[in-house]
Amino acid sequence: MNDLLDNLGESLGGIWDSAVEGGNSWVDAWFNNEAEKVSSAAPEENRVPDRQQPAQQPNGQPIWY
């Protein structure tokens, strides 16, 4: 009887450990995804620097030197 209870306890403990590890992995992935969204939404990261953009005429056509 003790062996059965020990095996059951070990099985439940293993299931619990797997669920906790999976939950931690999911939470870490969610936080990383949210952090990536925030960093990719930063305007200074998405703007092309002025030195890389050609000058433009009033109608929007680039002026190439």
Side-chain angles (χ1 to χ4, degrees), residues 2 4-5 9 12 17 21 26 28 37 44-45 53 63:
N2 283 339
L4 179 63
L5 291 177
L12 291 176
D17 290 343
E21 287 176 17
W26 183 84
D28 288 342
K37 281 188 208 176
E44 63 275 3
E45 296 289 327
Q53 292 180 344
I63 300 173

Side-chain angles (χ1 to χ4, degrees), residues 9 13 22 25-27 29 34 39 56 60 62:
S25 297
W26 183 84
V27 169
E34 291 299 312
S39 68
Q56 293 182 353

Side-chain angles (χ1 to χ4, degrees), residues 5-64:
L5 291 177
D6 286 343
N7 289 337
L8 179 63
E10 288 178 15
S11 297
L12 291 176
I15 291 170
W16 176 256
D17 290 343
S18 296
V20 168
E21 287 176 17
N24 286 340
S25 297
W26 183 84
V27 169
D28 288 342
W30 183 79
F31 274 113
N32 289 338
N33 186 34
E34 291 299 312
E36 181 64 30
K37 281 188 208 176
V38 169
S39 68
S40 68
E44 63 275 3
E45 296 289 327
N46 294 319
R47 259 188 227 128
V48 178
D50 289 336
R51 64 184 176 279
Q52 292 180 358
Q53 292 180 344
Q56 293 182 353
Q57 297 177 6
N59 64 359
Q61 293 294 322
I63 300 173
W64 297 102

